[in-house]
């Protein structure tokens, strides 16, 4: 049984909003920067951020002009808009479910998935949507915590995950298994925060 639903996430992220940046900014700052560098987007590329939160990625996207962001929590989008205005980053933002996006097929050159694949209730639905809206040859950058591919979580870890996935994020997801439901190719998978528990993974949609 899972408590990880869109309704629950909308509620808890509304509650976390006042302290979100205190927790998620400083410790992940250098990995966000590294991840966006590895995206290797061109200045006029169309870029989508799924589950964009308060917009902590925006300081590293100031040289891009065609950014779209979405999140299921309305309060997150309000905070993201005010950050973008302060930074002068032009963008569009939508309250939207990352598992069922309303963008047309082949809309984006690049997609950013930072700290969303381990949070969203159905990561396979999300990555399939990302594949759908990505242009052929486009890239996806993922930054998140993953169980190593092929590793089975222990009973203790599965029990702990009941709490972790409800209050923070799932600790038992494997990026290879999730991406395996698409035809996206893994181009790079490098260790990031907490001794490599967090990874930066670049995916490409074959042209
Ligand atoms: C851990 S935060 C990450 C935010 C941001 N990407 C960052 O790096 O700081 C997870 C975000 O995912 C959003 N979220 C959860 N479920 C979602 C869904 N189904 N569709 C879109 N966003 C979702 C939450 O509202 C929250 O803002």
């Amino acid at each position: 049984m899972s408590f990880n639903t869109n309704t629950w996430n909308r509620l808890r992220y509304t509650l976390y909003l006042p302290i979100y940046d205190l927790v998620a900014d400083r410790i992940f700052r250098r990995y966000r920067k590294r991840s966006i560098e590895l995206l290797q987007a061109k200045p006029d590329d169309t870029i989508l951020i799924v589950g964009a939160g308060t917009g902590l990625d925006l300081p590293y996207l100031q040289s891009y002009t065609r950014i779209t962001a979405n999140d299921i929590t309305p309060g997150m989008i309000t905070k993201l808009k005010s950050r973008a205005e302060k930074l002068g980053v032009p963008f569009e933002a939508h309250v939207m479910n990352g598992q069922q996006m309303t963008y047309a097929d082949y809309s984006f050159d690049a997609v950013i998935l930072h700290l969303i694949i381990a949070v969203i209730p159905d990561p396979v639905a999300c990555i399939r949507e990302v594949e759908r809206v990505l242009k052929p040859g486009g890239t996806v950058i993922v930054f998140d915590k993953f169980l190593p591919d092929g590793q089975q979580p222990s009973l203790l870890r599965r029990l702990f995950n009941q709490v972790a996935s409800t209050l923070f994020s799932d600790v038992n997801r494997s990026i290879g298994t999730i991406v395996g439901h698409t035809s996206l190719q893994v181009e790079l998978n490098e260790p990031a925060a907490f001794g490599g528990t967090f990874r930066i993974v670049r995916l490409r949609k074959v042209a």
Side-chain angles (χ1 to χ4, degrees):
M1 174 171 164
S2 174
F3 293 101
N4 185 358
T5 63
N6 284 329
T7 306
W8 171 242
N9 279 333
R10 202 181 289 113
L11 173 65
R12 75 184 173 105
Y13 278 102
T14 302
L15 296 172
Y16 296 167
L17 201 45
I19 55 150
Y20 184 80
D21 289 359
L22 287 175
V23 179
D25 188 11
R26 186 170 292 213
I27 46 172
F28 294 130
R29 211 175 274 173
R30 58 187 267 234
Y31 302 106
R32 288 181 192 284
K33 185 168 180 285
R34 169 85 182 142
S35 177
I36 289 168
E37 279 165 8
L38 288 172
L39 184 63
Q40 295 177 338
K42 295 186 279 305
D44 62 343
D45 276 355
T46 46
I47 299 177
L48 172 66
I49 315 175
V50 180
T54 62
L56 290 174
D57 297 325
L58 294 180
Y60 313 106
L61 290 165
Q62 292 185 36
S63 49
Y64 300 96
T65 54
R66 300 167 74 197
I67 305 168
T68 301
N70 67 46
D71 200 285
I72 204 155
T73 308
M76 287 285 180
I77 291 293
T78 305
K79 199 152 178 185
L80 180 141
K81 280 183 177 167
S82 90
R83 189 189 306 277
E85 269 161 34
K86 276 188 204 132
L87 291 170
V89 179
F91 79 106
E92 276 185 46
H94 311 110
V95 176
M96 195 183 286
N97 180 0
Q99 300 166 172
Q100 214 173 356
M101 297 188 281
T102 56
Y103 312 118
D105 297 356
Y106 317 125
S107 295
F108 300 98
D109 296 292
V111 179
I112 296 172
L113 298 173
H114 283 176
L115 308 175
I116 178 71
I117 287 293
V119 165
I120 201 160
D122 186 345
V124 171
C126 176
I127 202 81
R128 282 185 167 148
E129 273 294 85
V130 167
E131 182 181 31
R132 180 183 69 75
V133 301
L134 195 63
K135 293 180 189 172
T139 49
V140 184
I141 202 85
V142 181
F143 167 58
D144 224 317
K145 77 199 77 45
F146 293 111
L147 193 67
D149 288 337
Q151 187 174 311
Q152 291 304 315
S154 64
L155 177 62
L156 189 64
R157 196 169 166 133
R158 278 187 275 140
L159 289 173
F160 170 70
N161 198 39
Q162 291 294 321
V163 179
S165 62
T166 304
L167 295 180
F168 306 106
S169 67
D170 200 303
V171 296
N172 287 341
R173 293 183 178 173
S174 301
I175 186 65
T177 308
I178 294 165
V179 173
H181 290 268
T182 69
S183 59
L184 297 169
Q185 308 279 306
V186 178
E187 273 194 344
L188 169 156
N189 181 342
E190 71 169 42
F194 297 103
T197 305
F198 283 72
R199 317 285 305 179
I200 296 173
V201 181
R202 189 172 67 219
L203 312 172
R204 188 172 298 277
K205 183 169 180 174
V206 177

